[in-house]
Amino acid sequence: MNVLEIKNLTKKFGDFIAVDNMSLTVAEGEIFGFLGANGAGKSTTINMIAGLLRSNDGTISILGKNNAKQSRFAKMNIGMVPQDIAIYEDMTAYENVKFFAGLYGLRGAELNERVVEALEFVGLQDKHKSYPKSFSGGMKRRLNIACAIAHRPKLIIMDEPTVGIDPQSRNYILTSVRKLNEMGCTIIYTSHYMEEVEEICSKIAIIDHGKIIAEGTKEQLKSIITNTKDVWIEVKTTEKVNLAAIQDINGVEAVSVDENFIKINSDTGVNNLNKILEHFMNSHIEIRSLQEKAPNLETVFLTLTGRNLRDQ
Amino acid sequence: MNIINMAWKGIKTDFRDIRTLFFMLAFPIILMLVLGTALSNAFTTTLPIDDIDVLYKDTTDGAALQQFIQQADQSGIEFKKVTIHTDGKKEVKQGKYTGYVEVTEEGVELYVNSGDSIGGNILQGMLSSYVDKYNISSEIMKVAPDKLEQAFSGGKQTNFIKETSVNPTKQPGSMDYYAIVITSMIVLYGAMSSSSLIVGERVRKTADRLIASPVRKSEIFIGKVLGSLVSNSLCVLLVVLFSKLFFKANWGDHMGLVFLVLLAEVIFAVSLGIGVSFLAKTSAAPKVIIMLFVQLSSFFGGAYFKLENPEGIFKFITDLSPLTWINSALTKIIYANDFSAAIPALTINLVGAILFLLISIVSLQRREGL
Ligand SMILES: Nc1ncnc2c1ncn2[C@@H]1O[C@H](COP(=O)(O)OP(=O)(O)OP(=O)(O)O)[C@@H](O)[C@H]1O
Ligand SMILES: [Mg+2]
């Protein structure tokens, strides 16, 4: 059964179309990744699924039931981990989870059990009596997750749950996501970190300007661009690099700058490495290293959207 | 159940917040102590009842009024029969007399200055209970004249005086005065915390969590308002009891009615806070607006010092302050047993509360999210 079905979903803010006629299905047991640059429309889509925003058009169904008609059913079955940490600083970790779980009708011993379970799940059982103000960013993120899972939702939506945290907490969260999935939860996961999505997601949708521009497994997505390759040129300073000029070279599909690397995606069929190097020589740009890359999700993203995932 | 959940969470965190507790409990108590002791000279603690001179005119041949006058005389209120050459009402207007009583077969009429003089209040209170008695006795007179004597001398004879005459030690001293005005001021400050009831959820982003849960918006709203009402009422209760027990402030013999008036003010304050928070565009503006409103209301409501008989435009301004009405109601209830004074205070507060709640409910329904 499909846990989530979106049909022709549209959301406008004034004249601006944030989500544009989007259709999507998420099957049970999936870890479904939303990839998209800033402002692509990921959060807007997610907020409509969770019932925080009204759509202008289209339908959303959870477990086969229309959200608009049976919003209580939908809400009972969704666990929402918002992009911004949403917890009460003046309540302990335990009280936070208990309060939110209580909103889903849990009471008494069962409520207590579920709260303890959720806190253990994110590794905060030792901190259950502490106030979040004493927490690190990573611990707050974990509590943010605990507050969304205590009522055992079928569908867990995580909007950038790993933003701005230490590697240890991030690993903890990624492991938890996998564990939740093994326990039978379907998960929608958005992130700015390509590696994360590549690592844990079984299916990925690339979103740009409110539209899904590609969708499938990692392998399917990569196969879209087997006819291109990546060349990364490390330079001493990127100041003098003229991206437009490189873009104009025959066969070059996309160019971007990431720290000291110039990342060039170009057709496998065109032999243009000479031309590219010539450009660097002529501009007196010192090259430090040069590597050819097998296609990865980042290349896919760059090729499809023409921009880096994290070009803030 | 969800409503109780929401309310309980609010109450719990309110009483955990040191700042709220300080502001709602310690601050008023300290203020009472400081103003009540520092400004005690500004208050005559002796009974101004000596100064109560009353003119009267009695066109009936009943002895009831004479009895009343005798009793009142013992409390220090002096009654003088009006002469043909004097106009009782005019004398009162000019401040020469506290009141003018006219007793005719139709009933009793009392004229006092419309200003908030304690003397006028006392007189009004005493007379109103006399009128009750008078009505009973006139009834009896009509039915069975021989029972009249009994009605007045039958043990309860002095009741109307005892009930209403003011015990000299119960006059509003400075502590009594400030206990009332500071309490009513701090209740109004409750609007500060209630202005962040909904805005706070938005700022902390927990509003999203609440909306994503299967709890209705109306339940969230009612729960929040209810919690705030309970928290604020508890604070007021504690402040009043503290001032009564430790500062020996006089709250009178009708604490129930006193609390009813204060409760109406709590309801007004909480609604004001929420209403303003929905009207304001930014999340910081409500606090500024409320601070200004409470400060002005406090000043013109006499929270810092007593405003004696304001007149003209000044009176108009003081009447705009809800605290003027509340403080006047409380003073009349405590010192003159004048329960009817509660009615304008209750009306103003509850009508205001309904207005602000309506604004909140309408804007809440229009919003996506909280
Ligand atoms: N309430 C709003 N009013 C007006 N515009 C909005 C509103 N919310 C979002 N937008 C706009 O809609 C677009 C999509 O925003 P959204 O938050 O969905 O992006 P996102 O993909 O989640 O980005 P990010 O990675 O930065 O979280 C953005 O251009 C944003 O400015
Ligand atoms: Mg987002």
Side-chain angles (χ1 to χ4, degrees):
Chain A
M1 170 172 342
N2 287 329
V3 173
L4 172 69
E5 254 182 69
I6 295 177
K7 280 201 191 105
N8 308 105
L9 191 66
T10 298
K11 176 72 188 178
K12 293 177 194 159
F13 295 112
D15 286 338
F16 179 77
I17 302 175
V19 174
D20 191 359
N21 200 25
M22 186 187 284
S23 296
L24 176 81
T25 48
V26 176
E28 190 167 8
E30 212 97 67
I31 301 183
F32 199 102
F34 279 9
L35 266 183
N38 286 120
K42 304 181 296 288
S43 296
T44 307
T45 308
I46 281 175
N47 288 343
M48 283 189 283
I49 300 170
L52 304 181
L53 287 177
R54 283 178 220 133
S55 61
N56 292 98
D57 206 359
T59 56
I60 302 171
S61 306
I62 304 289
L63 296 162
K65 292 188 181 170
N66 190 315
N67 252 13
K69 290 181 188 134
Q70 307 204 29
S71 70
R72 194 184 151 79
F73 174 84
K75 286 176 169 184
M76 287 297 283
N77 284 292
I78 293 178
M80 169 78 174
V81 181
Q83 177 166 0
D84 300 299
I85 293 172
I87 49 179
Y88 297 108
E89 299 274 334
D90 50 3
M91 301 205 299
T92 64
Y94 179 87
E95 287 169 334
N96 263 289
V97 182
K98 185 175 171 183
F99 173 70
F100 288 116
L103 300 179
Y104 291 81
L106 294 167
R107 296 283 175 268
E110 193 189 13
L111 173 62
N112 182 55
E113 248 168 59
R114 298 281 187 87
V115 174
V116 172
E117 179 187 277
L119 284 169
E120 272 173 6
F121 197 85
V122 297
L124 286 177
Q125 66 273 32
D126 299 337
K127 295 278 181 186
H128 72 280
K129 277 190 180 154
S130 308
Y131 289 90
K133 37 179 175 280
S134 66
F135 284 7
S136 70
M139 286 158 80
K140 283 185 192 174
R141 284 274 164 205
R142 274 142 65 187
L143 181 57
N144 201 32
I145 294 176
C147 289
I149 60 173
H151 62 285
R152 292 194 187 155
K154 288 266 188 346
L155 173 65
I156 299 174
I157 307 175
M158 298 181 154
D159 198 354
E160 313 212 14
T162 56
V163 163
I165 59 173
D166 54 291
Q168 204 186 340
S169 278
R170 171 187 297 202
N171 280 337
Y172 207 109
I173 290 176
L174 292 183
T175 315
S176 322
V177 173
R178 277 207 204 88
K179 253 196 321 190
L180 282 168
N181 184 238
E182 279 158 22
M183 286 160 60
C185 292
T186 306
I187 290 157
I188 293 178
Y189 190 96
T190 84
S191 176
H192 269 148
Y193 301 100
M194 193 71 76
E195 321 82 67
E196 274 180 13
V197 174
E198 195 157 2
E199 189 182 329
I200 62 167
C201 293
S202 55
K203 238 180 156 186
I204 298 160
I206 296 180
I207 299 177
D208 199 34
H209 297 297
K211 285 191 170 117
I212 294 180
I213 53 173
E215 188 192 333
T217 62
K218 285 172 275 208
E219 291 71 27
Q220 285 168 339
L221 288 178
K222 282 178 194 170
S223 72
I224 300 174
I225 53 154
T226 41
N227 47 359
T228 66
K229 65 174 186 228
D230 271 344
V231 178
W232 289 17
I233 300 172
E234 190 187 359
V235 293
K236 196 167 169 208
T237 155
T238 57
E239 275 166 30
K240 284 188 279 180
V241 177
N242 182 348
L243 292 181
I246 299 173
Q247 181 83 61
D248 284 344
I249 294 169
N250 186 26
V252 173
E253 295 284 337
V255 195
S256 67
V257 180
D258 190 357
E259 288 178 357
N260 275 358
F261 285 95
I262 313 296
K263 299 180 175 179
I264 302 166
N265 177 256
S266 79
D267 284 355
T268 16
V270 185
N271 199 347
N272 54 9
L273 195 55
N274 262 342
K275 281 259 171 56
I276 293 169
L277 289 176
E278 209 173 289
H279 171 80
F280 282 81
M281 302 296 189
N282 292 344
S283 314
H284 303 287
I285 301 166
E286 193 179 320
I287 295 177
R288 281 188 170 165
S289 72
L290 186 148
Q291 42 193 310
E292 235 173 304
K293 292 272 179 188
N296 61 10
L297 272 187
E298 197 145 4
T299 339
V300 178
F301 192 84
L302 186 65
T303 318
L304 291 176
T305 67
R307 49 181 172 161
N308 255 328
L309 192 52
R310 264 179 284 166
D311 57 359
Q312 317 287 359
Chain B
M1 202 59 210
N2 283 324
I3 292 176
I4 294 171
N5 248 2
M6 293 293 314
W8 175 236
K9 185 214 133 227
I11 297 165
K12 210 165 53 175
T13 49
D14 276 346
F15 279 92
R16 223 178 243 180
D17 182 16
I18 302 293
R19 264 184 315 174
T20 310
L21 286 189
F22 175 81
F23 201 72
M24 296 303 283
L25 295 174
F27 177 63
I29 286 168
I30 292 168
L31 214 55
M32 278 177 202
L33 192 64
V34 171
L35 292 176
T37 45
L39 300 181
S40 60
N41 285 343
F43 288 79
T44 45
T45 46
T46 50
L47 183 64
I49 214 162
D50 290 337
D51 305 335
I52 300 183
D53 293 317
V54 185
L55 277 177
Y56 76 95
K57 183 171 163 189
D58 189 357
T59 56
T60 65
D61 45 9
L65 184 70
Q66 285 311 319
Q67 236 169 349
F68 172 73
I69 289 172
Q70 261 177 29
Q71 295 294 341
D73 207 41
Q74 283 164 18
S75 311
I77 301 178
E78 212 172 305
F79 275 78
K80 264 192 215 149
K81 209 167 193 150
V82 72
T83 60
I84 314 165
H85 309 293
T86 42
D87 179 351
K89 295 177 203 169
K90 211 167 165 188
E91 297 288 301
V92 172
K93 225 177 197 168
Q94 290 167 350
K96 289 187 191 148
Y97 288 89
T98 311
Y100 169 59
V101 184
E102 233 180 64
V103 186
T104 60
E105 291 297 344
E106 266 95 74
V108 178
E109 277 179 72
L110 168 72
Y111 300 92
V112 288
N113 249 328
S114 55
D116 247 345
S117 81
I118 297 281
N121 289 337
I122 292 171
L123 194 61
Q124 211 176 326
M126 289 173 83
L127 208 65
S128 60
S129 50
Y130 154 70
V131 166
D132 288 346
K133 269 269 151 71
Y134 185 78
N135 286 343
I136 295 164
S137 68
S138 62
E139 283 261 356
I140 293 169
M141 258 199 299
K142 276 176 211 152
V143 183
D146 54 323
K147 280 190 183 158
L148 175 67
E149 195 58 51
Q150 230 184 346
F152 265 92
S153 57
K156 284 185 184 170
Q157 186 190 4
T158 57
N159 262 7
F160 60 88
I161 298 293
K162 214 174 87 201
E163 268 173 20
T164 55
S165 77
V166 180
N167 172 346
T169 57
K170 277 170 82 188
Q171 273 311 288
S174 60
M175 187 54 86
D176 302 322
Y177 178 77
Y178 282 113
I180 294 173
V181 296
I182 298 293
T183 301
S184 65
M185 175 179 83
I186 215 68
V187 171
L188 207 54
Y189 266 115
M192 287 291 254
S193 61
S194 72
S195 74
S196 53
L197 278 179
I198 303 288
V199 173
E201 299 283 347
R202 272 184 229 150
V203 171
R204 280 181 299 204
K205 307 289 179 189
T206 39
D208 286 355
R209 272 237 145 85
L210 295 178
I211 294 294
S213 79
V215 178
R216 276 192 298 252
K217 264 206 264 191
S218 57
E219 291 176 307
I220 298 171
F221 182 78
I222 296 169
K224 292 237 136 212
V225 172
L226 216 58
S228 185
L229 287 180
V230 172
S231 294
N232 282 294
S233 304
L234 278 175
C235 285
V236 179
L237 189 71
L238 289 174
V239 169
V240 170
L241 291 182
F242 191 94
S243 66
K244 187 177 167 70
L245 289 177
F246 296 100
F247 298 158
K248 304 281 179 252
N250 178 21
W251 285 98
D253 301 324
H254 307 283
M255 294 287 275
L257 196 58
V258 166
F259 279 123
L260 190 70
V261 172
L262 288 173
L263 180 68
E265 196 198 347
V266 168
I267 296 173
F268 172 74
V270 169
S271 317
L272 170 75
I274 299 187
V276 170
S277 79
F278 273 104
L279 287 174
K281 289 272 180 290
T282 66
S283 58
K287 290 240 151 72
V288 178
I289 296 169
I290 290 164
M291 185 56 114
L292 209 66
F293 177 76
V294 178
Q295 290 286 350
L296 289 174
S297 298
S298 303
F299 181 85
F300 291 109
Y304 303 123
F305 48 84
K306 213 167 168 177
L307 306 168
E308 295 282 4
N309 299 334
E311 277 174 7
I313 182 79
F314 192 51
K315 173 161 168 43
F316 175 74
I317 295 171
T318 56
D319 278 351
L320 285 180
S321 163
L323 293 181
T324 303
W325 298 89
I326 292 154
N327 294 338
S328 144
L330 292 177
T331 311
K332 285 179 181 170
I333 292 167
I334 296 168
Y335 291 99
N337 291 338
D338 178 3
F339 302 153
S340 63
I343 291 168
L346 290 175
T347 314
I348 286 172
N349 280 294
L350 294 179
V351 168
I354 290 169
L355 202 73
F356 282 113
L357 285 178
L358 278 179
I359 290 172
S360 311
I361 291 167
V362 169
S363 25
L364 191 62
Q365 275 174 339
R366 286 201 187 151
R367 288 182 73 93
E368 257 178 328
L370 272 185

